[in-house]
Amino acid sequence: GGAATSVSASVNSGSGSNMVRFYTDDALGLKISPTVVLVMSLCFIAFVAALDVFGKIYRAKAGGGP
């Protein structure tokens, strides 16, 4: 019969601890989670796109250029 071998994944604590330390109180500056940064950036992109659409509608109604 064959012997079954199990492989266990080891976690590399070297680079992981640096990322954890980056988001802890040891880091200086504004404490914002990456999710909040993502949501804020998506809202900014949507706001700029809305301004572009409203500007094109306004220019079309005013009889402006292309």
Side-chain angles (χ1 to χ4, degrees):
T5 60
S6 65
V7 177
S8 63
S10 64
V11 176
N12 186 3
S13 62
S15 64
S17 64
N18 289 337
M19 290 302 292
V20 171
R21 189 182 312 134
F22 182 73
Y23 294 113
T24 58
D25 291 335
D26 294 338
L28 298 175
L30 194 60
K31 305 292 189 292
I32 299 179
S33 70
T35 306
V36 173
V37 173
L38 178 66
V39 169
M40 287 172 57
S41 63
L42 291 176
C43 288
F44 177 74
I45 291 170
F47 179 71
V48 171
L51 284 178
D52 182 50
V53 169
F54 290 142
K56 288 184 179 187
I57 291 172
Y58 177 75
R59 189 168 51 186
K61 288 191 178 203

